[in-house]
Each structure stands twice: as structure tokens, then as C-alpha cells.
Amino acid sequence: MASALLNNPTYQLQPSAEQVALQTNYITNFNFLNQYLPDTYEKEFERYGNRTIASFLRMVGAEMPSNSDQIKWAEQGRLHIKYTNCTSGAAAGSNTATFTVFDSGVTSVAIRAGQTVMIQNNATGIYNKAIVTGTPAGTTFNVAYYEATGQAFAVSTQCTVFIYGSEFKKGTNGMVGSLESEDEIFSNKPIIIKDKYAVNGSDMAQIGWVEVTTENGATGYLWYLKSEHETRLRFEDYLETAMIEAVPAENNSGAAAVLGGNGQGGSEGIFYVVNSRGNVWGGGTPTTLGDWDTIVSRLDKQGAIEENALFVNRGLSFDIDNMLATLNGYAVSGASNSASYGLFDNDIDMALNLGFTGFRRGYDFYKSDWKYLNDPTMRGGLNTTAATATGTITGLLVPAGSTSVYDQILGKNAKRPFLHVRYRASEAEDRRYKTWITGSAGGAQTSDLDAMEVNFLSERCVCTLGANNFVLFRFG
């Protein structure tokens, strides 16, 4: 190959004797990066802005250590007694009746002789009031009606029964029996999250012409700095999104087999918990005041938390804005729209705010756009067409109150939010956020590998306390 180049030159070494525009006078294969020094922008342009999405749990959650593979907590049950699937064995007009409770999971009724109850027909709303005369069997109880007309509904009619007091004759003994409180026990288990970045020693010594930068402020002309920091940022995002999206591996599933067998894989993320034992709005976006009245009515039946935070995608955010604006004189369509969002001086230099940060309707609701639901590389990139969007999540209502829990660090009860991130830690090992370097480059001297490997690890789960106070907004 070298001799061929010497024997057959493809260009003329001597210039032509006169000024004639010959092909050999000019370079025809232009490569500007070789011929001329380019005018370069040394600094990267951040065309996607801040690309991280982790902020939700930092705003509404608390982190606490854990020493076990399983975390359990108890949540209070209802204080008062109510059964919603009861039937009477007596005919309409009877002065006394025997009721049987068919509510799921009920093996013995918490109703005692002498207590007074209200009994309502589930279909018509007609009701009786009665005094309990005895509890002959586990799921049955006898009543005597206060009304002279007797039972107001037919035999075997499905009814709701609740206790509202008690009444005893003069000179009688006290209440027979007592009630024992029962908590609902919930549990979750942590998952191990890992990532790694590797770069060889030669590339670490390579200088570049692009000045790189990342969201956490790292800058430099060494390209591996960018890759390492982006790996770190991506891992930190996954620490949050895993807590939001995690699901337990079902028995006999493929994931269970990979992760160690039945009961070994997965965890209960926020969406999973709220979807299974919280409140779900299946219409995607509540767009009218009547929709929100329905939500408020449901919250009344739960913990009735006074302040609630709404983390929503852009569509639900605009729907709430339009609903509130409509109540204040704005019409979505029409030529005579007036932006009467409030009292203001309509100055030409003024920036008109056409959005709302919150509203009060029975409770206080504070609205915040959730970047995770808008980001096209995360849930914001899923199909949100109404006809095919079954399961698409548009927002999450999080109670902004706090609950009392035992703090292992403080050694006493402390007020905590409803979301707790529990990470594995002890005196010997803290697995909240571990990072370490291996190899023989970049300061590491742990092996003969001519590279630097940056390892990331965390072991954690999220405990969603009082899931009955959360509302998940989704389609279908």
C-alpha cells in the first residue's frame, strides 16, 4: 500500500507556471474540521432543561431507618359498629325480629343486649329503631322495635344496621360483655436498587472540547464526568420512581422465580397501595364541581383530613383551572369571554395569571404539577387518548396532615407524614444510599482492572399509612 502511493501520486507537487484555474490548484475534498478551526460552543446547551423528576417524596414524605426484611404497622379501625349486609327473619309488621349479618369477614357481631340500633332498608331508605334483646349466635342478634307498626320492610330485605346508644330498665345489671379493639395490620418489604458506571483509565485522561454540565452542578472538560453524574442522577430518580411504581411479585410469576421464589420479589409502591385499598376516581379528570363534591363526600367518610395536596398532570391541572374559572364568570367557548379570575387592575403591562394554585371545597386542596406524570420519558409518554387510556394515571391526592409514629432515632413518638420511606440501616451498615469505587483508576486501588467502576446501591421501601385518605385519579 505504501509503494502504491509513492509510484502513483494523486496530486501535483509543483505549482503551475502561470495563473490558470487548474483542478490541481485547489482542494476539492473539503473537510472543514481539518482545514479550518471551527467556531465552537464549548458549553453544552441544556435543551431539555432540568431532566430530573425526583421531588415528590422529598416534598410529602419522611425517611426512616429499618432493621428488618419486613416492616409492619398497625392502623386504627373504625370506632363505631356498623353492618351493611343484614337480613331479618321476620315478616313486615313484626314487633320483634332476628337479624343475621352477612358482611364479609364477620364471624361474630359486636352488638350486645341493651344497645339501641337503627335498621335501614338499603333499597328504599325506610328505617326502624330497635333495642337489642340478645345475641343467640355468632352472627345473629335479636331486636324489639320501638315503633308500634313493627318492622317496616319485608322478610330477608338487605339492611344496614348501626348502634347509636343503649337503654336499660331501672334496677338492672350493667352491660354484658365488652369489646376488644382490633387494628388492621399492614406490611411491606424493601427492595434492593442498583446501578453502575464504568470508564477505562485511558478515557479518564482524555480531554474534550465540550464543557459538560449536569443538573447537580458538575462541570468540566472530561466527558466521563458527565456520564458518571448522569448515572448518579438517573439512579436518584429511580429511588423515587421505584417507590411510586413498585408492585409485589405474585406467586408463581416469572419475577418471583427470578427474585428467589414466592413472596420474595417486589414491593408495594404508592400507586399499588392506593389502587388496592385507597380511593380511586375512575373518570380520569374530575372536571365539574359536582365531581369534586363526590370526592369530598368520600373524604368525609374517611379520615376527613383538612388539607390535601393534589399532584397532577398537565391535563388535570388545566381542567381544574377551567372549572374554577368557569365558576368565576369565564366560559370555555364564546366570543364574550371575560377573564374574571379575581379582582385586579387590568393594566397593559401586567402578566395575567390564568391558573390556580388551590381551592377550598369542604377541605383545602393545593394543586401542584407533577413532573413525573408530564415527563415524556416516564408516565407522561404513555398513551393518554381517552378511548385507549384505561389505567392512565392523571393525578394523586395526598393528605397533607401527619400521623404519630414511634421514631427509632429519637426513641419516642413523633409526627410524620402519611408516606414513610424506610431504608435498611444498622450500626454496621447504612443502605440508604451507598456508593463506592472499584478498579485501579480514578483513585481506586482495589483490583488490576484498568478502569474506574462507580457502584450505586440502596435498599428501601415506602410505607403508605392511611391509604384510605389518598385518592388516585385514573382512567377506567
Side-chain angles (χ1 to χ4, degrees):
M1 185 66 183
S3 61
L5 288 174
L6 289 174
N7 294 334
N8 298 288
T10 58
Y11 53 90
Q12 184 173 310
L13 296 178
Q14 299 296 326
S16 56
E18 54 186 56
Q19 296 183 356
V20 179
L22 300 178
Q23 183 178 0
T24 52
N25 288 117
Y26 301 95
I27 300 175
T28 58
N29 182 22
F30 288 97
N31 186 334
F32 286 101
L33 291 181
N34 292 332
Q35 183 177 2
Y36 302 114
L37 178 65
D39 189 359
T40 61
Y41 287 92
E42 294 185 358
K43 195 172 182 61
E44 277 186 314
F45 179 70
E46 301 172 8
R47 60 175 175 171
Y48 293 118
N50 190 330
R51 297 165 297 167
T52 61
I53 52 90
S55 61
F56 169 71
L57 286 176
R58 287 199 296 266
M59 295 173 61
V60 298
E63 289 192 341
M64 303 170 63
S66 172
N67 307 116
S68 176
D69 277 334
Q70 189 176 46
I71 300 165
K72 288 192 172 186
W73 68 94
E75 296 186 8
Q76 291 179 339
R78 293 285 189 180
L79 182 61
H80 300 288
I81 290 93
K82 179 179 181 180
Y83 301 106
T84 60
N85 186 7
C86 308
T87 58
S88 168
S94 300
N95 289 326
T96 61
T98 298
F99 278 84
T100 303
V101 178
F102 294 100
D103 287 46
S104 176
V106 176
T107 56
S108 62
V109 294
I111 297 177
R112 294 166 290 171
Q115 291 184 314
T116 52
V117 295
M118 178 172 170
I119 306 169
Q120 185 179 49
N121 183 334
N122 288 349
T124 65
I126 298 174
Y127 64 87
N128 285 113
K129 291 184 178 178
I131 184 169
V132 179
T133 58
T135 53
T139 59
T140 62
F141 61 94
N142 300 329
V143 301
Y145 292 108
Y146 279 94
E147 296 86 359
T149 54
Q151 184 169 293
F153 40 82
V155 62
S156 301
T157 300
Q158 189 180 52
C159 298
T160 292
V161 176
F162 71 88
I163 300 169
Y164 67 86
S166 62
E167 185 177 359
F168 293 87
K169 292 192 300 183
K170 293 180 180 180
T172 59
N173 294 327
M175 182 73 72
V176 177
S178 66
L179 300 180
E180 190 71 23
S181 297
E182 288 187 3
D183 285 339
E184 289 192 69
I185 307 300
F186 298 100
S187 64
N188 203 359
K189 66 180 192 63
I191 56 175
I192 300 173
I193 307 168
K194 295 181 180 181
D195 208 337
K196 178 192 286 188
Y197 171 71
V199 57
N200 64 61
S202 297
D203 288 344
M204 292 184 68
Q206 181 76 28
I207 193 71
W209 61 268
V210 179
E211 183 183 4
V212 298
T213 184
T214 61
E215 281 78 357
N216 63 1
T219 60
Y221 289 92
L222 302 176
W223 188 260
Y224 78 90
L225 285 178
K226 176 179 179 63
S227 299
E228 191 275 333
H229 283 289
E230 289 200 354
T231 302
R232 185 182 300 272
L233 292 173
R234 190 161 45 244
F235 178 72
E236 290 173 355
D237 280 356
Y238 290 160
L239 293 183
E240 175 167 300
T241 55
M243 299 299 95
I244 296 170
E245 297 283 1
V247 296
E250 296 181 356
N251 288 345
N252 303 318
S253 66
V258 171
L259 295 168
N262 290 341
Q264 298 298 310
S267 185
E268 294 187 356
I270 298 170
F271 285 166
Y272 175 85
V273 171
V274 178
N275 194 64
S276 59
R277 62 174 188 265
N279 306 286
V280 177
W281 177 270
T285 57
T287 57
T288 67
L289 201 60
D291 291 341
W292 284 99
D293 288 347
T294 302
I295 295 170
V296 169
S297 178
R298 173 64 68 88
L299 295 178
D300 284 340
K301 296 175 175 60
Q302 303 298 339
I305 305 300
E306 183 67 21
E307 296 183 343
N308 301 271
L310 293 168
F311 293 89
V312 297
N313 69 0
R314 188 64 70 187
L316 180 50
S317 179
F318 284 163
D319 286 340
I320 294 174
D321 287 344
N322 291 337
M323 177 196 71
L324 298 176
T326 302
L327 297 174
N328 201 22
Y330 167 80
V332 176
S333 61
S336 60
N337 291 344
S338 59
S340 56
Y341 279 53
L343 297 177
F344 56 85
D345 295 325
N346 192 12
D347 190 274
I348 60 173
D349 297 325
M350 169 187 119
L352 186 60
N353 184 3
L354 298 180
F356 296 87
T357 58
F359 62 97
R360 179 172 179 82
R361 182 72 171 177
Y363 303 102
D364 290 324
F365 299 95
Y366 304 102
K367 177 168 66 72
S368 177
D369 289 328
W370 194 358
K371 190 175 182 180
Y372 174 61
L373 297 182
N374 291 322
D375 192 291
T377 61
M378 305 300 279
R379 276 203 174 251
L382 299 178
N383 189 346
T384 56
T385 304
T388 58
T390 300
T392 297
I393 293 174
T394 60
L396 178 69
L397 182 149
V398 180
S402 59
T403 184
S404 181
V405 297
Y406 183 76
D407 192 312
Q408 295 176 332
I409 301 298
L410 300 177
K412 60 182 181 181
N413 284 338
K415 290 289 186 180
R416 295 291 189 190
F418 282 74
L419 293 173
H420 299 175
V421 176
R422 304 298 300 269
Y423 58 88
R424 293 293 296 274
S426 68
E427 293 81 358
E429 175 76 358
D430 187 340
R431 298 169 71 82
R432 175 183 175 273
Y433 189 127
K434 290 187 65 176
T435 179
W436 67 98
I437 299 175
T438 59
S440 64
Q445 298 179 5
T446 61
S447 70
D448 60 356
L449 177 66
D450 183 17
M452 176 184 72
E453 294 184 336
V454 184
N455 301 272
F456 303 92
L457 181 145
S458 180
E459 188 171 2
R460 58 178 59 204
C461 69
V462 63
C463 299
T464 307
L465 280 67
N468 59 297
N469 296 289
F470 290 70
V471 179
L472 186 67
F473 301 94
R474 64 178 176 83
F475 288 100

